Amino acid sequence: MNISAVIMAGGMGRRFGNPQKCLAPICGVPLLFRVAGALAQIADRIYVATTPNHSEVIEAAVRWGLQVIATPGLGYERDILHVVQLAPVVVAACDIANLSPAHVEALLQEKIFTTALSRGEPVGLSYIPNTDLERWTSVEIGRLVDVDTAEDLARAEELCPAAYPLYVDPERLKPHEDVLEERDYEVVRPIAVDYRSGVILDGHHRHRFLKRARLPAPVMLFDYAVVDVNVDKGEVLDRAARGVVYPPKSTWHTYRGRHISEIPTIEVPVAELRRRAAQIT
């Protein structure tokens, strides 16, 4: 089934204190890309519904191939009316910190407009199979963590849920470090990438393999501003931009004391990457 997904990112973020809330990082990965990654495991196309006031969100979305839809920004319930024409479509708020493919799949068996419940309460996740919104139902899908306040963000940070990858052309990524040798893989851990610059933070051997194999790269997008490195961060970005890379294993990127490769995620079988490549061609 061809299915689209829309991330609702037009809220004012009043309780959070920042209208660009969707870019707030949890364990280094912005909320926007946490939600997009979960949806990318299921949806064929991903859109971001937001307003012109959310310029940083729009810039980040466009940079990573997410199409932008303009909405009035009047709240989830009212803005959802602007995406009905994309049905069948999954609609998710950008502030669900722990969204997973399993949460989405729990809705896809329904034949009418379906709203997700978390412990009995509606959350910002819905499935619209067609343009009829008169009939609707709800499905309990377990605990979802909404980030509405700074306190919610701190709790989500402690949880540090898995972040799922987006899939991009490896040619778009910028290495800052050379590799030891050519390697082959049967499963690929997502490549850690700075979402602002496209610079690879971890995963240069995987990147080299995917370029050689002409396969899409699963990427986990980090906010480099909250990531630490054992060398000058500006030099990392400069070397990547100029193509003057460090020797292999020169840098060590960490988030709050642990290597960024330890941030929870999934591994993607190469067979799945080949399937995605075939769909593109």
Side-chain angles (χ1 to χ4, degrees):
M1 175 176 64
N2 291 330
I3 187 167
S4 297
V6 175
I7 303 170
M8 306 302 282
M12 297 304 297
R14 291 189 179 91
R15 283 186 290 168
F16 189 76
N18 184 350
Q20 309 294 333
K21 176 180 72 171
C22 297
L23 294 178
I26 294 173
C27 282
V29 180
L31 281 165
L32 176 69
F33 296 121
R34 285 183 166 274
V35 173
L39 295 172
Q41 311 314 304
I42 294 171
D44 302 290
R45 296 165 300 279
I46 301 177
Y47 302 84
V48 175
T50 190
T51 72
N53 294 329
H54 293 73
S55 57
E56 293 177 36
V57 171
I58 292 172
E59 183 179 355
V62 171
R63 181 181 293 118
W64 295 103
L66 308 178
Q67 299 182 56
V68 174
I69 299 173
T71 62
L74 299 176
Y76 180 90
E77 294 81 4
R78 297 175 70 176
D79 283 356
I80 201 173
L81 299 175
H82 292 264
V83 303
V84 174
Q85 70 274 10
L86 296 174
V89 60
V90 175
V91 183
C94 76
D95 59 1
I96 305 176
N98 66 329
L99 186 66
S100 74
H103 292 130
V104 177
E105 289 167 350
L107 306 181
L108 297 183
Q109 306 306 314
E110 301 297 328
K111 305 300 183 184
I112 60 176
F113 176 36
T114 305
T115 297
L117 301 179
S118 175
R119 294 178 289 184
E121 296 295 328
V123 291
L125 179 64
S126 303
Y127 174 51
I128 307 175
N130 51 59
T131 57
D132 179 12
L133 299 185
E134 295 300 319
R135 297 185 303 145
W136 65 276
T137 188
S138 58
V139 174
E140 174 63 48
I141 60 171
R143 185 188 180 207
L144 286 181
V145 179
D146 285 336
V147 177
D148 293 324
T149 65
E151 291 75 20
D152 293 337
L153 186 71
R155 283 191 288 269
E157 181 72 28
E158 291 180 6
L159 180 64
C160 195
Y164 297 86
L166 291 176
Y167 299 89
V168 304
D169 183 345
E171 296 288 347
R172 298 183 56 192
L173 307 181
K174 302 174 185 177
H176 77 269
E177 193 176 74
D178 205 352
V179 298
L180 291 169
E181 72 273 319
E182 298 291 341
R183 297 177 182 175
D184 293 320
Y185 297 84
E186 293 185 2
V187 294
V188 178
R189 184 178 180 83
I191 298 169
V193 176
D194 170 33
Y195 88 85
R196 291 186 178 89
S197 65
V199 171
I200 297 171
L201 308 182
D202 182 67
H204 287 86
H205 288 89
R206 284 164 274 156
H207 175 247
R208 182 72 69 88
F209 163 73
L210 293 167
K211 282 184 65 176
R212 174 163 46 90
R214 298 183 179 179
L215 294 175
V219 297
M220 191 157 66
L221 297 172
F222 282 82
D223 181 348
Y224 205 9
V226 299
V227 174
D228 296 315
V229 63
N230 62 321
V231 298
D232 182 80
K233 191 180 293 186
E235 184 177 353
V236 171
L237 296 172
D238 179 64
R239 279 177 172 264
R242 293 189 295 119
V244 183
V245 298
Y246 287 100
K249 304 297 183 182
S250 293
T251 63
W252 184 259
H253 284 88
T254 60
Y255 177 77
R256 298 193 176 184
R258 59 175 166 173
H259 194 265
I260 56 174
S261 64
E262 298 174 2
I263 302 300
T265 185
I266 61 168
E267 292 187 332
V268 183
V270 168
E272 169 62 13
L273 298 177
R274 289 198 179 102
R275 184 191 69 80
R276 289 177 177 270
Q279 284 185 327
I280 294 172
T281 57

